mmCIF file with all atom_site columns, all heavy atoms in Angstrom:
data_model
loop_
_atom_site.group_PDB
_atom_site.id
_atom_site.type_symbol
_atom_site.label_atom_id
_atom_site.label_alt_id
_atom_site.label_comp_id
_atom_site.label_asym_id
_atom_site.label_entity_id
_atom_site.label_seq_id
_atom_site.pdbx_PDB_ins_code
_atom_site.Cartn_x
_atom_site.Cartn_y
_atom_site.Cartn_z
_atom_site.occupancy
_atom_site.B_iso_or_equiv
_atom_site.pdbx_formal_charge
_atom_site.auth_seq_id
_atom_site.auth_comp_id
_atom_site.auth_asym_id
_atom_site.auth_atom_id
_atom_site.pdbx_PDB_model_num
ATOM 1  N N   . PRO A 1 180 ? -10.890 8.208  69.610 1.00 98.00 ? 203 PRO A N   1
ATOM 2  C CA  . PRO A 1 180 ? -10.578 6.943  68.844 1.00 98.00 ? 203 PRO A CA  1
ATOM 3  C C   . PRO A 1 180 ? -11.567 5.906  69.012 1.00 98.00 ? 203 PRO A C   1
ATOM 4  O O   . PRO A 1 180 ? -11.827 5.071  68.244 1.00 98.00 ? 203 PRO A O   1
ATOM 5  C CB  . PRO A 1 180 ? -9.171  6.452  69.470 1.00 98.00 ? 203 PRO A CB  1
ATOM 6  C CG  . PRO A 1 180 ? -8.579  7.713  69.916 1.00 98.00 ? 203 PRO A CG  1
ATOM 7  C CD  . PRO A 1 180 ? -9.641  8.719  70.385 1.00 98.00 ? 203 PRO A CD  1
ATOM 8  N N   . ALA A 1 181 ? -12.377 5.877  70.171 1.00 98.00 ? 204 ALA A N   1
ATOM 9  C CA  . ALA A 1 181 ? -13.345 4.961  70.390 1.00 98.00 ? 204 ALA A CA  1
ATOM 10 C C   . ALA A 1 181 ? -14.537 5.052  69.348 1.00 98.00 ? 204 ALA A C   1
ATOM 11 O O   . ALA A 1 181 ? -15.327 4.179  69.123 1.00 98.00 ? 204 ALA A O   1
ATOM 12 C CB  . ALA A 1 181 ? -13.950 4.989  71.886 1.00 98.00 ? 204 ALA A CB  1
ATOM 13 N N   . PHE A 1 182 ? -14.689 6.210  68.827 1.00 98.00 ? 205 PHE A N   1
ATOM 14 C CA  . PHE A 1 182 ? -15.829 6.539  67.905 1.00 98.00 ? 205 PHE A CA  1
ATOM 15 C C   . PHE A 1 182 ? -15.258 6.747  66.481 1.00 98.00 ? 205 PHE A C   1
ATOM 16 O O   . PHE A 1 182 ? -16.010 6.966  65.506 1.00 98.00 ? 205 PHE A O   1
ATOM 17 C CB  . PHE A 1 182 ? -16.583 7.682  68.280 1.00 98.00 ? 205 PHE A CB  1
ATOM 18 C CG  . PHE A 1 182 ? -17.425 7.549  69.593 1.00 98.00 ? 205 PHE A CG  1
ATOM 19 C CD1 . PHE A 1 182 ? -16.657 7.785  70.816 1.00 98.00 ? 205 PHE A CD1 1
ATOM 20 C CD2 . PHE A 1 182 ? -18.600 7.022  69.538 1.00 98.00 ? 205 PHE A CD2 1
ATOM 21 C CE1 . PHE A 1 182 ? -17.397 7.637  71.990 1.00 98.00 ? 205 PHE A CE1 1
ATOM 22 C CE2 . PHE A 1 182 ? -19.272 6.821  70.806 1.00 98.00 ? 205 PHE A CE2 1
ATOM 23 C CZ  . PHE A 1 182 ? -18.695 7.162  72.093 1.00 98.00 ? 205 PHE A CZ  1
ATOM 24 N N   . PHE A 1 183 ? -13.924 6.631  66.188 1.00 98.00 ? 206 PHE A N   1
ATOM 25 C CA  . PHE A 1 183 ? -13.402 6.986  64.974 1.00 98.00 ? 206 PHE A CA  1
ATOM 26 C C   . PHE A 1 183 ? -13.995 6.152  63.884 1.00 98.00 ? 206 PHE A C   1
ATOM 27 O O   . PHE A 1 183 ? -14.397 6.615  62.711 1.00 98.00 ? 206 PHE A O   1
ATOM 28 C CB  . PHE A 1 183 ? -11.775 6.918  64.991 1.00 98.00 ? 206 PHE A CB  1
ATOM 29 C CG  . PHE A 1 183 ? -11.143 7.268  63.692 1.00 98.00 ? 206 PHE A CG  1
ATOM 30 C CD1 . PHE A 1 183 ? -10.855 8.572  63.564 1.00 98.00 ? 206 PHE A CD1 1
ATOM 31 C CD2 . PHE A 1 183 ? -10.926 6.432  62.628 1.00 98.00 ? 206 PHE A CD2 1
ATOM 32 C CE1 . PHE A 1 183 ? -10.143 8.954  62.372 1.00 98.00 ? 206 PHE A CE1 1
ATOM 33 C CE2 . PHE A 1 183 ? -10.249 6.834  61.521 1.00 98.00 ? 206 PHE A CE2 1
ATOM 34 C CZ  . PHE A 1 183 ? -9.888  8.189  61.393 1.00 98.00 ? 206 PHE A CZ  1
ATOM 35 N N   . GLN A 1 184 ? -13.958 4.769  63.999 1.00 98.00 ? 207 GLN A N   1
ATOM 36 C CA  . GLN A 1 184 ? -14.480 4.043  62.709 1.00 98.00 ? 207 GLN A CA  1
ATOM 37 C C   . GLN A 1 184 ? -15.973 4.234  62.536 1.00 98.00 ? 207 GLN A C   1
ATOM 38 O O   . GLN A 1 184 ? -16.484 4.245  61.440 1.00 98.00 ? 207 GLN A O   1
ATOM 39 C CB  . GLN A 1 184 ? -14.223 2.432  63.142 1.00 98.00 ? 207 GLN A CB  1
ATOM 40 C CG  . GLN A 1 184 ? -14.721 1.561  61.922 1.00 98.00 ? 207 GLN A CG  1
ATOM 41 C CD  . GLN A 1 184 ? -14.194 0.144  62.051 1.00 98.00 ? 207 GLN A CD  1
ATOM 42 O OE1 . GLN A 1 184 ? -14.101 -0.428 63.264 1.00 98.00 ? 207 GLN A OE1 1
ATOM 43 N NE2 . GLN A 1 184 ? -14.149 -0.634 60.976 1.00 98.00 ? 207 GLN A NE2 1
ATOM 44 N N   . GLU A 1 185 ? -16.745 4.207  63.539 1.00 98.00 ? 208 GLU A N   1
ATOM 45 C CA  . GLU A 1 185 ? -18.251 4.544  63.463 1.00 98.00 ? 208 GLU A CA  1
ATOM 46 C C   . GLU A 1 185 ? -18.520 5.834  62.745 1.00 98.00 ? 208 GLU A C   1
ATOM 47 O O   . GLU A 1 185 ? -19.362 5.803  61.878 1.00 98.00 ? 208 GLU A O   1
ATOM 48 C CB  . GLU A 1 185 ? -18.816 4.543  64.856 1.00 98.00 ? 208 GLU A CB  1
ATOM 49 C CG  . GLU A 1 185 ? -20.267 4.909  64.802 1.00 98.00 ? 208 GLU A CG  1
ATOM 50 C CD  . GLU A 1 185 ? -20.908 5.056  66.263 1.00 98.00 ? 208 GLU A CD  1
ATOM 51 O OE1 . GLU A 1 185 ? -20.263 4.635  67.179 1.00 98.00 ? 208 GLU A OE1 1
ATOM 52 O OE2 . GLU A 1 185 ? -21.906 5.741  66.280 1.00 98.00 ? 208 GLU A OE2 1
ATOM 53 N N   . LEU A 1 186 ? -17.710 6.835  63.154 1.00 98.00 ? 209 LEU A N   1
ATOM 54 C CA  . LEU A 1 186 ? -17.955 8.297  62.578 1.00 98.00 ? 209 LEU A CA  1
ATOM 55 C C   . LEU A 1 186 ? -17.456 8.417  61.201 1.00 98.00 ? 209 LEU A C   1
ATOM 56 O O   . LEU A 1 186 ? -17.998 9.155  60.412 1.00 98.00 ? 209 LEU A O   1
ATOM 57 C CB  . LEU A 1 186 ? -17.618 9.271  63.456 1.00 98.00 ? 209 LEU A CB  1
ATOM 58 C CG  . LEU A 1 186 ? -18.429 9.345  64.801 1.00 98.00 ? 209 LEU A CG  1
ATOM 59 C CD1 . LEU A 1 186 ? -17.892 10.406 65.726 1.00 98.00 ? 209 LEU A CD1 1
ATOM 60 C CD2 . LEU A 1 186 ? -19.807 9.770  64.628 1.00 98.00 ? 209 LEU A CD2 1
ATOM 61 N N   . PHE A 1 187 ? -16.243 8.017  60.972 1.00 98.00 ? 210 PHE A N   1
ATOM 62 C CA  . PHE A 1 187 ? -15.321 8.496  59.996 1.00 98.00 ? 210 PHE A CA  1
ATOM 63 C C   . PHE A 1 187 ? -15.045 7.316  58.867 1.00 98.00 ? 210 PHE A C   1
ATOM 64 O O   . PHE A 1 187 ? -15.021 7.610  57.747 1.00 98.00 ? 210 PHE A O   1
ATOM 65 C CB  . PHE A 1 187 ? -13.996 8.808  60.600 1.00 98.00 ? 210 PHE A CB  1
ATOM 66 C CG  . PHE A 1 187 ? -13.180 9.773  59.695 1.00 98.00 ? 210 PHE A CG  1
ATOM 67 C CD1 . PHE A 1 187 ? -13.577 11.145 59.496 1.00 98.00 ? 210 PHE A CD1 1
ATOM 68 C CD2 . PHE A 1 187 ? -11.987 9.472  59.047 1.00 98.00 ? 210 PHE A CD2 1
ATOM 69 C CE1 . PHE A 1 187 ? -12.857 11.977 58.844 1.00 98.00 ? 210 PHE A CE1 1
ATOM 70 C CE2 . PHE A 1 187 ? -11.236 10.251 58.389 1.00 98.00 ? 210 PHE A CE2 1
ATOM 71 C CZ  . PHE A 1 187 ? -11.752 11.533 58.162 1.00 98.00 ? 210 PHE A CZ  1
ATOM 72 N N   . ALA A 1 188 ? -15.009 6.109  59.324 1.00 98.00 ? 211 ALA A N   1
ATOM 73 C CA  . ALA A 1 188 ? -14.469 5.076  58.395 1.00 98.00 ? 211 ALA A CA  1
ATOM 74 C C   . ALA A 1 188 ? -15.171 3.723  58.571 1.00 98.00 ? 211 ALA A C   1
ATOM 75 O O   . ALA A 1 188 ? -14.529 2.680  58.755 1.00 98.00 ? 211 ALA A O   1
ATOM 76 C CB  . ALA A 1 188 ? -12.896 4.829  58.612 1.00 98.00 ? 211 ALA A CB  1
ATOM 77 N N   . ALA A 1 189 ? -16.504 3.692  58.662 1.00 98.00 ? 212 ALA A N   1
ATOM 78 C CA  . ALA A 1 189 ? -17.187 2.491  58.940 1.00 98.00 ? 212 ALA A CA  1
ATOM 79 C C   . ALA A 1 189 ? -17.030 1.432  58.033 1.00 98.00 ? 212 ALA A C   1
ATOM 80 O O   . ALA A 1 189 ? -17.235 0.177  58.380 1.00 98.00 ? 212 ALA A O   1
ATOM 81 C CB  . ALA A 1 189 ? -18.688 2.821  59.079 1.00 98.00 ? 212 ALA A CB  1
ATOM 82 N N   . ASP A 1 190 ? -16.729 1.627  56.736 1.00 98.00 ? 213 ASP A N   1
ATOM 83 C CA  . ASP A 1 190 ? -16.495 0.575  55.789 1.00 98.00 ? 213 ASP A CA  1
ATOM 84 C C   . ASP A 1 190 ? -15.048 0.150  55.509 1.00 98.00 ? 213 ASP A C   1
ATOM 85 O O   . ASP A 1 190 ? -14.747 -0.606 54.608 1.00 98.00 ? 213 ASP A O   1
ATOM 86 C CB  . ASP A 1 190 ? -17.275 0.906  54.438 1.00 98.00 ? 213 ASP A CB  1
ATOM 87 C CG  . ASP A 1 190 ? -16.857 2.137  53.870 1.00 98.00 ? 213 ASP A CG  1
ATOM 88 O OD1 . ASP A 1 190 ? -15.913 2.980  54.498 1.00 98.00 ? 213 ASP A OD1 1
ATOM 89 O OD2 . ASP A 1 190 ? -17.382 2.564  52.805 1.00 98.00 ? 213 ASP A OD2 1
#
Side-chain angles (χ1 to χ4, degrees):
F205 294 91
F206 186 87
Q207 184 170 26
E208 175 188 342
L209 293 173
F210 201 72
D213 53 358

